[in-house]
Amino acid sequence: MTNLSDNTVVITGASRGIGEAAARQLAGLGATVVLSARSSARIEKIAEDIRTQGGHALARRCDVSQEQDVAGLMRFAIDSTSRIDALINNAGIIEPIARLIESDPDEWSRVVDVNFKGVYYGLRHAIPHMLERGRGTVVNISSGAATSALEGWSHYCSTKAAVLSLTRCAHREYGDQGIRVIGLSPGTVATQMQSQIKRSGINPVSRLDSSAHIPPEWVARAIEFLLDKSSDAFLGTDFSLKTDEGRKAVGLPLVTTG
Ligand code: NJP
């Protein structure tokens, strides 16, 4: 088990799903977690719950599509805890799912603002502090969609491809200065996003049985693994939980054996 005592981890999209599971997992390992999302009441409640269980947690409202919010989130974390050891760029959306010519340009652009520019803002405002300290890790939550094409998901596939590109570029620019940047492609996970995908009925992912999805707690364990040096071989890439190699590295049941 990784010991994260004295570490501050900032998590975007922590009001539910993967982000919430990551906050609970990392707090359980001793980290001070800074939960952020737009739903203030929800992140306040999760943070309070973590504190009640003896953990260290703070909450700060942040819409990742707003650069000032993201800059404010990093300042809040540094002012409150004097450090950011890791940033989990997790906030992401998939709705509205629509084929290209049926998509609404404003809504399509909104997905770019959240999924792509939100990750850029996170990197832009966390890395300077990490460089001052000569260390830090950024985990960008990616997707298999970054490298595949799915009907109705042009916004999602292209923004996740852009996130993979940001992971590669940030690793190229700062990997030799102590900054670890790594992507995580979790596979399908039992969260609200999969309910939205199921409702769309538009491509094979929407027709998957819910038993095909992994619990968000497994993804949280993968995030724990990626914060540790033992994952260094994957820096600058998308680490995948859809392969036996990835599952084995994290200590999760293998894909092939269920
Ligand atoms: O989704 P969900 P997941 N600013 O819908 C927040 C990726 N992924 O946990 O703001 C800030 O339960 C929202 O909070 P709120 C996926 O692409 C998933 O599954 O309060 N936060 C909530 O906390 C995404 O990057 C699957 O509404 C914003 C969170 O984001 C990540 O995993 C597969 C926001 C979304 O929680 C977490 O998704 C895969 C904003 N503007 C990749 N907009 C999967 N589930 O199968 C939303 O390959 N949020």
Side-chain angles (χ1 to χ4, degrees):
M1 251 171 45
T2 319
N3 182 357
L4 294 177
S5 303
D6 300 326
N7 278 226
T8 296
V9 183
V10 176
I11 306 168
T12 67
S15 63
R16 58 176 188 264
I18 293 169
E20 176 181 355
R24 292 183 185 280
Q25 173 77 10
L26 302 179
L29 298 168
T32 297
V33 289
V34 180
L35 296 99
S36 72
R38 292 164 306 168
S39 315
S40 305
R42 183 69 201 149
I43 50 174
E44 292 284 0
K45 189 173 175 306
I46 298 166
E48 192 187 320
D49 196 34
I50 291 171
R51 288 193 298 268
T52 305
Q53 291 168 37
H56 303 286
L58 300 166
R60 166 87 179 193
R61 189 193 179 280
C62 170
D63 179 341
V64 296
S65 70
Q66 304 299 312
E67 185 189 356
Q68 289 316 311
D69 277 19
V70 179
L73 171 64
M74 301 311 158
R75 271 198 308 274
F76 170 78
I78 296 164
D79 290 349
S80 311
T81 72
S82 76
R83 55 198 290 160
I84 298 175
D85 295 278
L87 164 66
I88 316 301
N89 270 322
N90 166 72
I93 54 174
I94 198 164
E95 283 201 317
I97 292 169
R99 293 176 186 86
L100 269 168
I101 64 167
E102 288 142 14
S103 63
D104 176 273
D106 287 338
E107 289 177 336
W108 205 98
S109 296
R110 169 87 190 137
V111 179
V112 174
D113 288 344
V114 176
N115 290 9
F116 178 23
K117 289 164 77 175
V119 171
Y120 160 70
Y121 296 145
L123 291 162
R124 174 65 185 84
H125 291 286
I127 289 180
H129 165 78
M130 292 175 172
L131 285 173
E132 275 174 25
R133 301 182 65 225
R135 60 185 293 261
T137 298
V138 181
V139 178
N140 293 329
I141 305 300
S142 182
S143 169
T147 53
S148 59
L150 283 144
E151 194 183 352
W153 288 19
S154 65
H155 55 347
Y156 191 76
C157 293
S158 50
T159 53
K160 290 297 184 181
V163 169
L164 173 55
S165 187
L166 283 176
T167 298
R168 290 175 173 147
C169 290
H171 173 66
R172 174 65 53 86
E173 292 182 8
Y174 306 108
D176 61 358
Q177 296 172 66
I179 311 303
R180 305 172 71 255
V181 184
I182 192 161
L184 170 56
S185 173
T188 63
V189 189
T191 66
Q192 183 169 309
M193 185 173 281
Q194 280 300 333
S195 309
Q196 294 167 338
I197 291 167
K198 185 164 262 322
R199 270 199 305 276
S200 74
I202 215 169
N203 65 33
V205 183
S206 72
R207 292 187 284 279
L208 286 174
D209 188 81
S210 57
S211 61
H213 307 322
I214 64 170
E217 289 74 18
W218 289 18
V219 188
R221 284 175 58 189
I223 291 170
E224 172 191 342
F225 167 68
L226 297 180
L227 296 185
D228 190 80
K229 275 187 72 62
S230 56
S231 65
D232 276 0
F234 301 99
L235 293 178
T237 71
D238 272 358
F239 172 80
S240 175
L241 275 186
K242 282 176 84 175
T243 65
D244 277 347
E245 182 198 19
R247 294 277 187 96
K248 199 170 164 194
V250 180
L252 294 171
L254 302 186
V255 184
T256 44
T257 55

